[in-house]
Amino acid sequence: FVNKLHKATTIHWHGIRIDIKMDGVPFLSQAPIQPGESFLYDFVCPDAGTFWYHPHMHSVEQLGKGLVGALIVEENDPPSFDEDIIIGLKDWRLDRQGQFLPLSLPRHAARAGTMGTVETVNGKIKPVINAPAGGLLRLRFLNLDNSRVYHLSLKDFESYIIAIDGSPVKTPRVMGTHDIGAGMRLDIVLRMPEQSGQDVLIYDKKGRGHFELCRLQSTAPLRALKKATVKALPANPLATLNLEQAETRHFAFEWAGALSPVDSAGKVKDVFWTINRRAWEGMNAASVPAPLATLALGKTYIFELHNATPHGHPIHMHGLIFTVLSSDKREIEPFESDTILLERNERAKIAFVADNPGRWMFHCHVIEHMKTGLMGYITIA
Ligand code: C2O
Ligand code: CU
Ligand code: CU
């Protein structure tokens, strides 16, 4: 990677169970890559699925202005779909002239995050995406936005969820409305209508309204369709949980209000969120704050998460994939993931085997939330 920006940066490979040295977190896993410098990212991807990458420095600006991309790891034995389509969701904060508006406003950072003004799919406004009539499609949705939650829906059109945040589900699940917060992904399968010229609409469902994000238009297939059916993707090689012997840790996500303490330079610092009563202090070459938790390598842990705030938070863990076990807000059929969207006042349990040694960030993926307190890391040693 060659940094041709005017500011330091790093690249984080979101969802990859990577070697800590390649995780791309400044100060925690590597030195920031200065303008003009380069860094060799060299790693193995143990899991197949839909992942993504983005800087982990100056994130409000660097992600907000578009430094995000899909990272697809193919299955060893690729399932046969007629088409595999990426749907990258991202909004842009632009004024009418197309200039960037301020990317973060404190009054929104203290709430659900500062939203974009122009909604796009793969960089276009409501695109029409061609797909073969009668074909079996895999759609990979990626929420590449800094703040927004999408409530994905195809209304009554038949489709099945086959992976959540890159991880295959054991059996395909009927797709209703599925929420994906910032940083989250969803893979679904659907069969295009048999006749060409027919559209399948993909919506963001807000309240009772359905708002079109993009549409798939069936076109006469160029080649013979495969005779595939909807089936589960092969499982990724995750270690087996040992729940009987698991140790439980508690994490409370709280709204700190407008604390606005003054930093060493006398500048007002916006701190709105805390994890276990502690707001992320920020780090630099000279000081890395203490971890939120220290875990023993190889042991199973249950994290009890409590979102004690009036806003939703997509809570993400680096370097590991956890199993979502339960929630007090909904019926959960356990599934694997790297990010859990906690709705307000929700309590949920996740579990994982701490099998990847390192210092792994654990934070909200609403970029402004992580910048104003909702961030920390766990050490596995
Ligand atoms: Cu997409 Cu720290 O993560
Ligand atoms: Cu990540
Ligand atoms: Cu948040």
Side-chain angles (χ1 to χ4, degrees), residues 145-290:
D145 197 56
N146 278 18
S147 319
R148 179 164 166 197
V149 179
Y150 293 85
H151 313 280
L152 298 175
S153 161
L154 278 72
K155 271 194 184 157
D156 298 325
F157 194 85
E158 188 181 347
S159 62
Y160 298 88
I161 293 171
I162 52 167
I164 298 173
D165 295 327
S167 291
V169 293
K170 289 204 178 61
T171 36
R173 302 177 179 187
V174 173
M175 166 85 175
T177 301
H178 188 93
D179 293 350
I180 60 170
M184 300 173 81
R185 291 88 65 213
L186 188 73
D187 287 34
I188 69 169
V189 175
L190 60 90
R191 171 84 59 197
M192 283 300 285
E194 297 289 339
Q195 268 139 41
S196 57
Q198 292 191 302
D199 290 351
V200 176
L201 273 80
I202 296 168
Y203 301 98
D204 182 28
K205 184 171 185 285
K206 290 180 205 148
R208 294 212 176 151
H210 285 80
F211 298 87
E212 180 182 340
L213 292 166
C214 62
R215 61 177 69 206
L216 306 168
Q217 188 163 72
S218 57
T219 53
L222 297 174
R223 48 185 160 70
L225 296 175
K226 297 181 179 148
K227 288 273 166 288
T229 53
V230 177
K231 50 176 190 291
L233 295 168
N236 282 327
L238 294 193
T240 309
L241 299 172
N242 182 349
L243 291 174
E244 285 72 53
Q245 251 129 72
E247 200 177 297
T248 299
R249 299 291 172 95
H250 299 266
F251 294 87
F253 304 97
E254 287 178 303
W255 191 66
L259 299 182
S260 296
V262 169
D263 71 10
S264 51
K267 261 185 35 191
V268 174
K269 229 176 130 200
D270 293 322
V271 174
F272 303 123
W273 311 96
T274 61
I275 303 178
N276 291 345
R277 291 280 154 94
R278 177 180 153 198
W280 178 242
E281 299 86 346
M283 44 186 176
N284 54 50
S287 81
V288 171

Side-chain angles (χ1 to χ4, degrees), residues 271-314:
V271 174
F272 303 123
W273 311 96
T274 61
I275 303 178
N276 291 345
R277 291 280 154 94
R278 177 180 153 198
W280 178 242
E281 299 86 346
M283 44 186 176
N284 54 50
S287 81
V288 171
L292 290 168
T294 300
L295 311 181
L297 185 64
K299 208 174 141 93
T300 299
Y301 289 87
I302 295 173
F303 278 13
E304 287 197 7
L305 311 177
H306 178 205
N307 175 7
T309 80
H311 297 281
H313 301 284

Side-chain angles (χ1 to χ4, degrees), residues 111-112 273 311-315 364-370 374:
R111 297 186 175 88
W273 311 96
H311 297 281
H313 301 284
I315 303 294
C364 177
H365 223 290
V366 171
I367 304 300
E368 296 164 283
H369 290 177
M370 68 185 257
L374 256 194

Side-chain angles (χ1 to χ4, degrees), residues 12-16 23 54 56 316-319 338 361 363 365:
H12 169 60
W13 314 93
H14 183 126
I16 306 291
D23 196 42
H54 59 79
H56 223 283
H316 170 53
M317 195 181 316
H318 286 209
D338 56 47
M361 295 307 287
H363 64 84
H365 223 290

